[in-house]
Short mmCIF file of all heavy atoms in Angstrom, two decimals:
data_model
loop_
_atom_site.label_atom_id
_atom_site.label_comp_id
_atom_site.label_asym_id
_atom_site.label_seq_id
_atom_site.Cartn_x
_atom_site.Cartn_y
_atom_site.Cartn_z
N PRO A 334 5.74 -3.98 6.59
CA PRO A 334 5.44 -3.80 5.16
C PRO A 334 5.42 -5.14 4.43
O PRO A 334 6.02 -6.13 4.89
CB PRO A 334 6.60 -2.92 4.68
CG PRO A 334 7.11 -2.24 5.90
CD PRO A 334 6.91 -3.21 7.02
N LYS A 335 4.74 -5.15 3.30
CA LYS A 335 4.56 -6.40 2.55
C LYS A 335 5.88 -7.05 2.16
O LYS A 335 6.00 -8.27 2.13
CB LYS A 335 3.74 -6.12 1.29
CG LYS A 335 2.24 -6.28 1.46
CD LYS A 335 1.87 -7.68 1.88
CE LYS A 335 0.40 -7.90 2.02
NZ LYS A 335 -0.35 -7.89 0.77
N ARG A 336 6.89 -6.25 1.86
CA ARG A 336 8.15 -6.83 1.40
C ARG A 336 8.90 -7.56 2.50
O ARG A 336 9.89 -8.24 2.23
CB ARG A 336 9.03 -5.72 0.81
CG ARG A 336 9.41 -4.63 1.79
CD ARG A 336 10.21 -3.54 1.11
NE ARG A 336 10.58 -2.48 2.03
CZ ARG A 336 9.82 -1.45 2.34
NH1 ARG A 336 8.62 -1.35 1.80
NH2 ARG A 336 10.24 -0.52 3.18
N GLY A 337 8.45 -7.44 3.76
CA GLY A 337 9.10 -8.13 4.86
C GLY A 337 8.40 -9.38 5.31
O GLY A 337 8.81 -10.01 6.29
N LEU A 338 7.34 -9.80 4.60
CA LEU A 338 6.58 -10.98 5.02
C LEU A 338 7.25 -12.27 4.56
O LEU A 338 8.06 -12.28 3.63
CB LEU A 338 5.16 -10.90 4.45
CG LEU A 338 4.32 -9.68 4.87
CD1 LEU A 338 2.94 -9.76 4.26
CD2 LEU A 338 4.23 -9.58 6.39
N GLU A 339 6.87 -13.37 5.20
CA GLU A 339 7.40 -14.68 4.87
C GLU A 339 6.53 -15.29 3.77
O GLU A 339 5.48 -15.88 4.04
CB GLU A 339 7.41 -15.58 6.11
CG GLU A 339 8.09 -16.92 5.91
CD GLU A 339 9.58 -16.78 5.64
OE1 GLU A 339 10.22 -15.91 6.26
OE2 GLU A 339 10.09 -17.55 4.80
N VAL A 340 6.96 -15.11 2.52
CA VAL A 340 6.14 -15.54 1.39
C VAL A 340 6.01 -17.06 1.35
O VAL A 340 4.95 -17.60 1.02
CB VAL A 340 6.75 -15.00 0.08
CG1 VAL A 340 5.96 -15.48 -1.12
CG2 VAL A 340 6.81 -13.49 0.12
N SER A 341 7.05 -17.78 1.68
CA SER A 341 7.01 -19.24 1.61
C SER A 341 6.04 -19.84 2.61
O SER A 341 5.59 -20.98 2.44
CB SER A 341 8.41 -19.81 1.85
OG SER A 341 8.90 -19.42 3.13
N ALA A 342 5.70 -19.10 3.66
CA ALA A 342 4.74 -19.59 4.66
C ALA A 342 3.33 -19.06 4.43
O ALA A 342 2.46 -19.23 5.27
CB ALA A 342 5.21 -19.21 6.06
N CYS A 343 3.10 -18.37 3.30
CA CYS A 343 1.79 -17.79 2.95
C CYS A 343 1.35 -16.76 4.00
O CYS A 343 0.17 -16.69 4.35
CB CYS A 343 0.73 -18.88 2.79
SG CYS A 343 1.03 -19.99 1.41
N GLU A 344 2.31 -15.99 4.50
CA GLU A 344 1.99 -14.93 5.46
C GLU A 344 1.53 -13.69 4.69
O GLU A 344 2.24 -13.19 3.82
CB GLU A 344 3.23 -14.60 6.29
CG GLU A 344 2.98 -13.56 7.38
CD GLU A 344 4.26 -13.20 8.12
OE1 GLU A 344 5.33 -13.21 7.48
OE2 GLU A 344 4.17 -12.90 9.32
N ILE A 345 0.33 -13.20 4.98
CA ILE A 345 -0.23 -12.06 4.25
C ILE A 345 -0.24 -10.78 5.08
O ILE A 345 -0.44 -9.70 4.53
CB ILE A 345 -1.65 -12.37 3.76
CG1 ILE A 345 -2.57 -12.68 4.94
CG2 ILE A 345 -1.64 -13.50 2.75
CD1 ILE A 345 -4.02 -12.82 4.55
N PHE A 346 -0.02 -10.86 6.38
CA PHE A 346 0.00 -9.66 7.22
C PHE A 346 0.70 -10.02 8.53
O PHE A 346 0.61 -11.16 9.00
CB PHE A 346 -1.42 -9.17 7.52
CG PHE A 346 -1.55 -7.67 7.60
CD1 PHE A 346 -1.67 -6.92 6.46
CD2 PHE A 346 -1.56 -7.01 8.82
CE1 PHE A 346 -1.80 -5.54 6.51
CE2 PHE A 346 -1.68 -5.63 8.89
CZ PHE A 346 -1.80 -4.90 7.73
N ARG A 347 1.41 -9.02 9.09
CA ARG A 347 2.08 -9.27 10.37
C ARG A 347 1.99 -8.02 11.24
O ARG A 347 2.34 -6.92 10.83
CB ARG A 347 3.55 -9.64 10.17
CG ARG A 347 4.24 -10.05 11.49
CD ARG A 347 5.75 -10.16 11.31
NE ARG A 347 6.11 -11.05 10.24
CZ ARG A 347 7.33 -11.12 9.72
NH1 ARG A 347 8.29 -10.34 10.19
NH2 ARG A 347 7.60 -11.96 8.73
N PHE A 348 1.47 -8.22 12.44
CA PHE A 348 1.39 -7.16 13.43
C PHE A 348 2.53 -7.30 14.44
O PHE A 348 3.07 -8.39 14.65
CB PHE A 348 0.06 -7.22 14.19
CG PHE A 348 -1.14 -6.85 13.37
CD1 PHE A 348 -1.98 -7.83 12.87
CD2 PHE A 348 -1.43 -5.53 13.09
CE1 PHE A 348 -3.10 -7.50 12.12
CE2 PHE A 348 -2.53 -5.19 12.34
CZ PHE A 348 -3.37 -6.18 11.86
N TYR A 349 2.88 -6.17 15.06
CA TYR A 349 3.79 -6.18 16.20
C TYR A 349 3.04 -5.54 17.37
O TYR A 349 2.74 -4.36 17.35
CB TYR A 349 5.08 -5.43 15.89
CG TYR A 349 6.00 -6.21 14.98
CD1 TYR A 349 5.95 -6.04 13.60
CD2 TYR A 349 6.89 -7.13 15.50
CE1 TYR A 349 6.77 -6.77 12.77
CE2 TYR A 349 7.72 -7.87 14.66
CZ TYR A 349 7.65 -7.68 13.30
OH TYR A 349 8.47 -8.41 12.48
N LYS A 350 2.74 -6.36 18.35
CA LYS A 350 1.86 -5.98 19.45
C LYS A 350 2.68 -5.62 20.68
O LYS A 350 3.55 -6.38 21.11
CB LYS A 350 0.91 -7.15 19.74
CG LYS A 350 0.06 -7.04 20.96
CD LYS A 350 -0.80 -8.29 21.10
CE LYS A 350 -1.55 -8.33 22.40
NZ LYS A 350 -2.38 -9.56 22.50
N LEU A 351 2.39 -4.44 21.23
CA LEU A 351 3.07 -3.99 22.43
C LEU A 351 2.28 -4.45 23.66
O LEU A 351 1.12 -4.07 23.85
CB LEU A 351 3.19 -2.47 22.43
CG LEU A 351 3.82 -1.82 23.67
CD1 LEU A 351 5.24 -2.32 23.88
CD2 LEU A 351 3.79 -0.31 23.55
N VAL A 352 2.91 -5.29 24.46
CA VAL A 352 2.28 -5.83 25.67
C VAL A 352 3.02 -5.26 26.88
O VAL A 352 4.07 -5.77 27.29
CB VAL A 352 2.34 -7.38 25.70
CG1 VAL A 352 1.57 -7.92 26.89
CG2 VAL A 352 1.78 -7.95 24.40
N PRO A 353 2.52 -4.17 27.47
CA PRO A 353 3.27 -3.51 28.56
C PRO A 353 3.32 -4.33 29.84
O PRO A 353 4.25 -4.18 30.62
CB PRO A 353 2.50 -2.20 28.76
CG PRO A 353 1.13 -2.47 28.25
CD PRO A 353 1.28 -3.45 27.15
N THR A 354 2.32 -5.20 30.05
CA THR A 354 2.30 -5.98 31.30
C THR A 354 3.48 -6.95 31.38
O THR A 354 3.89 -7.32 32.48
CB THR A 354 0.99 -6.78 31.40
OG1 THR A 354 0.83 -7.60 30.23
CG2 THR A 354 -0.20 -5.84 31.52
N LYS A 355 4.02 -7.34 30.23
CA LYS A 355 5.16 -8.25 30.21
C LYS A 355 6.40 -7.62 29.59
O LYS A 355 7.38 -8.33 29.32
CB LYS A 355 4.81 -9.53 29.44
CG LYS A 355 3.77 -10.40 30.16
CD LYS A 355 3.70 -11.77 29.52
CE LYS A 355 2.80 -12.71 30.30
NZ LYS A 355 2.77 -14.07 29.73
N SER A 356 6.34 -6.30 29.34
CA SER A 356 7.46 -5.61 28.68
C SER A 356 7.89 -6.36 27.43
O SER A 356 9.06 -6.71 27.24
CB SER A 356 8.64 -5.45 29.64
OG SER A 356 8.28 -4.67 30.75
N LEU A 357 6.91 -6.59 26.55
CA LEU A 357 7.11 -7.50 25.43
C LEU A 357 6.58 -6.89 24.14
O LEU A 357 5.56 -6.20 24.14
CB LEU A 357 6.38 -8.82 25.71
CG LEU A 357 6.55 -9.97 24.73
CD1 LEU A 357 7.96 -10.54 24.81
CD2 LEU A 357 5.52 -11.05 25.02
N ILE A 358 7.26 -7.14 23.04
CA ILE A 358 6.75 -6.88 21.69
C ILE A 358 6.52 -8.23 21.03
O ILE A 358 7.47 -8.99 20.81
CB ILE A 358 7.70 -6.02 20.86
CG1 ILE A 358 7.81 -4.62 21.45
CG2 ILE A 358 7.23 -5.94 19.42
CD1 ILE A 358 8.77 -3.72 20.72
N GLU A 359 5.26 -8.54 20.73
CA GLU A 359 4.89 -9.86 20.23
C GLU A 359 4.45 -9.78 18.78
O GLU A 359 3.55 -9.02 18.44
CB GLU A 359 3.75 -10.43 21.08
CG GLU A 359 3.24 -11.77 20.59
CD GLU A 359 1.99 -12.22 21.34
OE1 GLU A 359 1.47 -11.45 22.18
OE2 GLU A 359 1.52 -13.33 21.06
N PRO A 360 5.07 -10.56 17.87
CA PRO A 360 4.60 -10.58 16.48
C PRO A 360 3.38 -11.48 16.33
O PRO A 360 3.29 -12.55 16.94
CB PRO A 360 5.80 -11.16 15.71
CG PRO A 360 6.53 -11.99 16.72
CD PRO A 360 6.28 -11.37 18.07
N ILE A 361 2.42 -11.03 15.53
CA ILE A 361 1.21 -11.80 15.24
C ILE A 361 1.10 -11.92 13.73
O ILE A 361 0.93 -10.91 13.03
CB ILE A 361 -0.04 -11.13 15.82
CG1 ILE A 361 0.10 -10.96 17.33
CG2 ILE A 361 -1.29 -11.94 15.49
CD1 ILE A 361 -1.02 -10.15 17.95
N SER A 362 1.21 -13.12 13.20
CA SER A 362 1.21 -13.35 11.76
C SER A 362 -0.15 -13.85 11.30
O SER A 362 -0.74 -14.74 11.93
CB SER A 362 2.29 -14.37 11.37
OG SER A 362 3.58 -13.85 11.61
N MET A 363 -0.64 -13.28 10.20
CA MET A 363 -1.85 -13.74 9.55
C MET A 363 -1.42 -14.63 8.38
O MET A 363 -0.80 -14.14 7.42
CB MET A 363 -2.69 -12.57 9.06
CG MET A 363 -3.02 -11.57 10.14
SD MET A 363 -3.99 -12.33 11.46
CE MET A 363 -3.95 -11.03 12.70
N ILE A 364 -1.73 -15.90 8.46
CA ILE A 364 -1.23 -16.89 7.50
C ILE A 364 -2.41 -17.60 6.84
O ILE A 364 -3.35 -18.02 7.53
CB ILE A 364 -0.31 -17.91 8.19
CG1 ILE A 364 0.95 -17.20 8.73
CG2 ILE A 364 0.09 -19.03 7.23
CD1 ILE A 364 1.86 -18.10 9.52
N VAL A 365 -2.35 -17.72 5.52
CA VAL A 365 -3.34 -18.50 4.78
C VAL A 365 -2.91 -19.96 4.82
O VAL A 365 -1.81 -20.29 4.36
CB VAL A 365 -3.44 -18.01 3.32
CG1 VAL A 365 -4.44 -18.86 2.54
CG2 VAL A 365 -3.85 -16.55 3.29
N PRO A 366 -3.71 -20.87 5.39
CA PRO A 366 -3.28 -22.26 5.54
C PRO A 366 -3.30 -23.02 4.22
O PRO A 366 -4.34 -23.45 3.73
CB PRO A 366 -4.32 -22.83 6.52
CG PRO A 366 -5.53 -21.98 6.34
CD PRO A 366 -5.05 -20.62 5.96
N ARG A 367 -2.12 -23.18 3.64
CA ARG A 367 -2.00 -23.94 2.39
C ARG A 367 -0.80 -24.87 2.50
O ARG A 367 0.23 -24.51 3.07
CB ARG A 367 -1.83 -23.01 1.20
CG ARG A 367 -3.06 -22.17 0.92
CD ARG A 367 -2.91 -21.37 -0.35
NE ARG A 367 -4.10 -20.58 -0.63
CZ ARG A 367 -4.24 -19.78 -1.68
NH1 ARG A 367 -3.25 -19.66 -2.55
NH2 ARG A 367 -5.37 -19.10 -1.87
#
Side-chain angles (χ1 to χ4, degrees):
K335 269 300 181 70
R336 61 183 180 275
L338 300 181
E339 187 65 38
V340 178
S341 59
C343 295
E344 183 184 34
I345 60 173
F346 215 81
R347 186 191 305 167
F348 291 102
Y349 285 93
K350 172 181 173 180
L351 177 60
V352 185
T354 56
K355 291 193 173 183
S356 298
L357 185 70
I358 293 178
E359 177 188 5
I361 302 173
S362 294
M363 305 298 170
I364 296 175
V365 178
R367 294 186 179 180

